[in-house]
Amino acid sequence: MNYITDPKEIEKRSFEIIGKNIDETKFEKRELMIVKRVIHTTADFDFAHIIKISDGAIDAGLKALKEGYTIVTDTKMAEAGINKKALKSIGASVKCYIEMPQVEEFSKTYAITRSMAAMIMASKDKRNKIFAIGNAPTALFKLCELINSGEIKPYLIIGVPVGFVGAQEAKEEVKKLGVPYIITEERKGGSTVAAAIVNAILYMFDNRSG
């Protein structure tokens, strides 16, 4: 059986297929990079319709990364999926608080989810300027509360939690904050989607199209 073995060629062909199956004219160049990267990650063309990027969101993300600020993820999976080589090249970093002992202790003491406790911990470090939430709606709800109370001022929210309970509602709350955002409407999303969006923005630094 003949099949493609070159990773770069596989990715190139994949993006060509994606381009043929969506209306690329609906997006400006950088938005299209994000949309195609997410579809490439998920093999789900629905994301061409449900990804919403607020005005200034991409510029805000690029600014935060260029200034060396930290990305916070809600899961280790999202953290693992972000390209560390690309991060290092621009002097930025990523951190996930979910497995910290203090987070588990805090969640038990106050009877909240670990994801919520992780956002509270993350809010203490003012270097945290991009929040990429792909799994836990409660993390996104708590982040919204922390922003509304003035405890944290992120440059960009990537709010793409997946699920049936609270996911849609949490994303709608993000729209009300006045903070630049990239979200997925409805129930779809996930840690891999969050990582794909971050990577798409990172790749803009070297003009990588795919």
Side-chain angles (χ1 to χ4, degrees), residues 51-116:
I51 290 178
K52 304 299 176 184
I53 303 172
S54 72
D55 291 341
I58 295 173
D59 286 331
L62 290 169
K63 177 179 171 64
L65 292 169
K66 187 176 182 180
E67 294 178 359
Y69 286 116
T70 303
I71 304 160
V72 174
T73 65
D74 63 326
T75 65
K76 298 298 288 186
M77 180 184 291
E79 180 188 40
I82 293 170
N83 189 314
K84 305 305 184 299
K85 184 178 179 181
L87 271 178
K88 185 177 180 181
S89 71
I90 58 172
S93 59
V94 60
K95 186 172 184 178
C96 180
Y97 289 74
I98 197 71
E99 292 184 356
M100 292 176 62
Q102 305 97 302
V103 167
E104 184 172 3
E105 183 179 338
F106 195 90
S107 69
K108 289 179 179 178
T109 299
Y110 293 96
I112 58 176
T113 68
R114 282 200 300 160
S115 296
M116 294 170 71

Side-chain angles (χ1 to χ4, degrees), residues 2-18 36-37 40-41 208 210:
N2 293 322
Y3 54 92
I4 302 170
T5 59
D6 181 354
K8 290 184 178 179
E9 182 62 21
I10 292 170
E11 182 174 87
K12 178 175 177 289
R13 295 278 189 94
S14 295
F15 277 89
E16 288 172 355
I17 292 168
I18 292 167
K36 291 176 79 172
R37 176 64 52 183
H40 179 256
T41 298
R208 180 171 168 181

Side-chain angles (χ1 to χ4, degrees), residues 175-196:
K175 295 179 181 179
K176 304 173 185 177
L177 296 171
V179 176
Y181 63 79
I182 301 173
I183 64 170
T184 52
E185 295 186 319
E186 304 175 7
R187 295 168 176 166
K188 289 186 177 182
S191 295
T192 55
V193 173

